[in-house]
Amino acid sequence: MALGLVLLGACSTIRVFTDFGAVLRDAGFGDVTVTIDSRGPSTLVVTASAPGGDTLTEAHDLAAELAWQRFPRRFEELRVTLDGERREHTRAQLEEAYGPRPAGLDETDLGDEVTRFGVTALVSVMVVGLVVMAGVAVAVVLVIRARRRRRPAQGDRPVDPPPPWPPPGPGPDDGPTPDDGETRHLGRRPRGPVPPASQVPPGWGP
């Protein structure tokens, strides 16, 4: 939207100059350039080559009259350069020479329009910059989150769980269990032959 406003304002401002340039070309002027003075936005600047068949003075008068009668913005000064010769006209001089301007041409001031366009362009560029920075920040956050989610699947192999703790061996109060002459306790391998009954220590039972 910000860029759209800038482009819309730019098209409106640029069209004013291009349309007046077409007016000058239709009058016989060549190599026409219509701009403003950067040091004074209300100064209209026309640069061209004089039409054939007219003296340089006549060409200057014609360009000044066309600017006064046809350029659709209010300006305070006019600077016309034809074939390298420059002449400047104030608003009072133009009005004295060519009479009052036609109705509607002074409704919009050239300087105000250029200033408004510049401010709008600056604000729009700032807004676009903030939007771009916000988009980059969001993209970085999304990338970091995506990497964190993929890390368990792509990281190192999981460590195998430790083996089950072996069951404890027989205590002093546990008696041997005869089994074909061997002793087994809780699934463990026999510790050795079962001693004869005469050699069983006191406190041991079958």
Side-chain angles (χ1 to χ4, degrees):
M1 292 178 63
L3 287 177
L5 291 175
V6 173
L7 294 176
L8 183 61
C11 291
S12 176
T13 303
I14 293 173
R15 186 174 180 179
V16 170
F17 297 104
T18 57
D19 288 350
F20 183 64
V23 170
L24 293 174
R25 282 189 291 271
D26 291 341
F29 293 90
D31 301 326
V32 178
T33 302
V34 182
T35 59
I36 60 172
D37 188 350
S38 59
R39 295 169 298 178
S42 291
T43 300
L44 180 64
V45 180
V46 176
T47 304
S49 59
D54 293 342
T55 64
L56 203 55
T57 300
E58 293 174 340
H60 271 283
D61 292 340
L62 178 58
E65 183 178 3
L66 290 174
W68 183 253
Q69 298 291 338
R70 302 287 296 276
F71 188 74
R73 294 293 185 273
R74 178 186 175 91
F75 56 90
E76 301 300 326
E77 294 183 2
L78 173 65
R79 184 182 305 156
V80 180
T81 302
L82 300 178
D83 297 336
E85 181 178 317
R86 187 176 76 176
R87 294 185 182 181
E88 297 182 357
H89 310 268
T90 64
R91 183 178 178 86
Q93 291 172 342
L94 292 170
E95 186 172 7
E96 181 180 357
Y98 307 110
R101 297 196 77 192
L105 296 184
D106 285 341
E107 289 183 357
T108 303
D109 188 89
L110 179 61
D112 292 343
E113 182 176 21
V114 173
T115 302
R116 182 170 57 251
F117 168 71
V119 172
T120 303
L122 179 60
V123 173
S124 301
V125 169
M126 294 176 61
V127 171
V128 172
L130 292 176
V131 171
V132 171
M133 292 177 61
V136 171
V138 171
V140 170
V141 171
L142 293 177
V143 170
I144 293 176
R145 289 184 177 180
R147 288 183 177 179
R148 288 181 176 177
R149 291 176 180 176
R150 291 196 301 265
R151 187 173 298 172
Q154 299 178 356
D156 298 333
R157 295 179 59 186
V159 180
D160 295 335
W165 192 264
D173 297 333
D174 297 335
T177 303
D179 186 6
D180 295 334
E182 295 182 354
T183 302
R184 296 183 182 275
H185 183 74
L186 297 178
R188 295 175 61 86
R189 297 182 60 184
R191 299 171 58 88
V194 178
S198 59
Q199 299 180 7
V200 174
W204 286 63

